[in-house]
Amino acid sequence: MLIGVLFALAAGLVWGLVFVVPLMLPDYPAAVLSCGRYVAFGLIALPLAWLDRRNLAGLARADWLEALKLSTVGNLLYYLCLAAAIQRAGGPLPTMIIGTLPVVIAVCANLRNARRDGRLPWLKLLPSLGLIAAGIACVNQVELAHLRAQTDLDLPRYLSGALLALVAVACWTWYPLRNADWLRTHAQRSPRSWATAQGLATLPLALAGYAALWLWSAAVGTQPWGNGVAFAMPLGPQPLLFVGLMLSMGLLASWLGTLCWNEASQRLPTTLAGQLIVFETLSALAYAFMLRGEWPQPLTLLGIALLVAGVIWALRIKPV
């Protein structure tokens, strides 16, 4: 149990890094960050694929198409929306919205296949949803006050960031449900091989996306993103920092984080493992405030506590 919890904590610590990279590279468009991260992950997946080539050879054409769909939505589109949300609304609010994923997934599972997975009683879920809504409202209040204190308040930009975070939640609600469907339908397949297959499927998508961004930038000029900041492809104004962070995310968040989470999932009950996803949210919030160089305000801490309480409440409800 202790080793499993430590693995889950390690996964949360490295997954939290992806929430602060957009803040460390504010001049980089979200599309460049998303494609750059998954080019790095795809390159890391290549040697893993060679080691696992026998299992991968057994995948059918339909399986590779499914891996392509999962990679498009769960990798590229998800991180595109998340990075854009963080750059527009700051770190805390999008992180809190993403932190609702365990409960959102549970609610969606209630609506789609209760015969297979069981159904969570709606009345027992309502207190949890109320706690989460109150937590997000508390953090939102603090972040709006933080914006009002700035001379260049841009409320539409902030609201668009919150909306993009909701789109990211939708992407990563669809992804685990669809991914679980494939794994249960193909119980004889290795989950490790399936993860590698998705990494391989991500690579050509990310390369094509990066090439398209490069061509568009060359056609429009050095300021094609409309923010007044000169941005020269392929590596932008801080090439060494950009390459280092992309490789770090590809290795740590995309590969090591998944490895640690798989190790935790083998050792812990599913109900406990689900609750420990909160480590990701708490890590991301901690990194965001460290980057700001300030402590969270009391209302922000209250919002975080309400979110954690709401998620734990929901995940302790047993399916019927």
Side-chain angles (χ1 to χ4, degrees), residues 263-281:
E263 293 286 352
S265 299
Q266 287 182 334
R267 290 170 168 81
L268 299 175
T270 303
T271 52
L272 176 58
Q275 295 174 40
L276 297 180
I277 295 176
V278 175
F279 282 146
E280 177 189 8
T281 302

Side-chain angles (χ1 to χ4, degrees), residues 67-151:
L68 188 64
K69 295 176 186 176
L70 290 167
S71 299
T72 302
V73 177
N75 289 347
L76 288 168
L77 182 59
Y78 163 73
Y79 196 62
L80 170 65
C81 294
L82 177 61
I86 292 171
Q87 288 181 336
R88 290 172 174 269
L93 182 65
T95 302
M96 290 286 287
I97 293 174
I98 296 296
T100 66
L101 269 171
V103 177
V104 174
I105 292 171
V107 170
C108 291
N110 255 10
L111 298 172
R112 64 191 296 272
N113 199 348
R115 178 176 296 178
R116 187 187 72 187
D117 298 323
R119 184 181 300 279
L120 300 177
W122 290 111
L123 289 178
K124 291 185 178 181
L125 269 177
L126 286 178
S128 172
L129 298 177
L131 287 170
I132 288 172
I136 293 176
C138 289
V139 173
N140 184 60
Q141 184 67 25
V142 174
E143 291 302 300
L144 281 175
H146 181 77
L147 283 177
R148 293 191 188 100
Q150 301 175 5
T151 56

Side-chain angles (χ1 to χ4, degrees), residues 167-191:
V167 177
V169 168
C171 291
W172 236 85
T173 300
W174 178 88
Y175 171 85
L177 294 174
R178 183 81 175 225
N179 191 52
D181 288 343
W182 189 93
L183 288 169
R184 292 191 181 194
T185 304
H186 302 81
Q188 76 282 7
R189 297 291 186 186
S190 165

Side-chain angles (χ1 to χ4, degrees), residues 145-168:
H146 181 77
L147 283 177
R148 293 191 188 100
Q150 301 175 5
T151 56
D152 54 345
L153 172 63
D154 191 347
L155 186 59
R157 181 178 174 85
Y158 178 81
L159 294 177
S160 67
L163 181 61
L164 284 166
L166 291 175
V167 177

